[in-house]
Amino acid sequence: MHVSAKKISFLGLLLALTVVLVILGSMIEVNTLFLIAGASFCVGIAVRESGLKMGLGFYIASVVLNFFIAPNKFHCITFAALGLYIFLIEFVFHRLTYATRIKNRKRLFWIIKYIIFNIMYIPALLFAPKLVYSGQIEGTIVIGIFFAGQIILFIYDKVYSYFQRYIWGKLRIKLNIQ
């Protein structure tokens, strides 16, 4: 496998940016989720620019490096979950592009996104509810948090799509990444 030095150096800089964003999320408590979400977007950039194998390597390296460097391990877990979600939807998108026989691939893609999210979200909500909500958890609150998570996923996914299409699309041209 031949990998260019330009691609490796780009991924190294992107990895450094990812770690900086997670660390800043630990230091600036007001923007924690914003910064961690931004760090997880870097996983999507790595997958789109370097392919699935290099993207997976980037994701693993970013999770390991963040666990060693970032002071708040809870934020590392959040980043790992968001980054895994991004990697998996990029993987599914890649596979669906070749599935030309499937009609209405866009609807199927959204269904798969919600399945992936809920496979990660529901066990966290049931078995480690303090990861999601710090107060006392009762039946009605769990249901409310479940539906809030679905709405947050929709917003997160729309922001990620916007970021990839418009923001990264323009930055990519200026950085001359090919």
Side-chain angles (χ1 to χ4, degrees):
M1 177 171 84
H2 177 69
V3 180
S4 70
K6 185 176 181 180
K7 190 176 284 189
I8 294 293
S9 63
F10 170 72
L11 289 175
L13 290 172
L14 194 61
L15 181 61
L17 177 64
T18 302
V19 172
V20 167
L21 287 172
V22 173
I23 290 171
L24 283 175
S26 297
M27 294 178 175
I28 306 170
E29 292 295 324
V30 175
N31 291 327
T32 299
L33 281 177
F34 174 78
L35 292 167
I36 292 173
S40 70
F41 290 179
C42 293
V43 173
I45 292 171
V47 170
R48 288 190 181 190
E49 296 300 326
S50 303
L52 290 171
K53 289 180 184 177
M54 293 290 285
L56 179 60
F58 177 86
Y59 169 71
I60 292 169
S62 63
V63 169
V64 169
L65 195 57
N66 275 311
F67 269 106
F68 282 124
I69 295 176
N72 190 333
K73 301 310 177 208
F74 174 72
H75 294 153
C76 295
I77 293 169
T78 306
F79 166 74
L82 292 175
L84 179 61
Y85 171 77
I86 294 290
F87 178 79
L88 291 174
I89 66 168
E90 288 293 335
F91 175 80
V92 169
F93 180 79
H94 180 73
R95 294 294 181 216
L96 283 177
T97 56
Y98 296 111
T100 56
R101 292 184 179 173
I102 297 175
K103 294 183 180 181
N104 211 346
R105 287 183 286 179
K106 190 173 183 177
R107 179 179 291 162
L108 178 62
F109 187 48
W110 271 99
I111 291 169
I112 293 172
K113 284 180 184 183
Y114 273 94
I115 290 171
I116 290 169
F117 172 75
N118 284 310
I119 285 173
M120 296 180 345
Y121 184 62
I122 291 172
L125 189 59
L126 295 177
F127 301 116
K130 296 293 182 185
L131 290 173
V132 181
Y133 183 71
S134 61
Q136 184 65 27
I137 297 186
E138 299 171 3
T140 56
I141 292 177
V142 171
I143 294 169
I145 293 172
F146 172 77
F147 285 114
Q150 307 308 306
I151 294 168
I152 291 169
L153 170 66
F154 180 78
I155 294 168
Y156 175 74
D157 201 75
K158 288 292 186 182
V159 170
Y160 175 68
S161 297
Y162 179 84
F163 173 82
Q164 281 290 359
R165 183 174 296 125
Y166 298 108
I167 297 171
W168 177 245
K170 290 179 183 177
L171 279 174
R172 184 178 192 274
I173 292 168
K174 288 182 181 180
L175 295 173
N176 193 21
I177 296 176
Q178 298 171 9

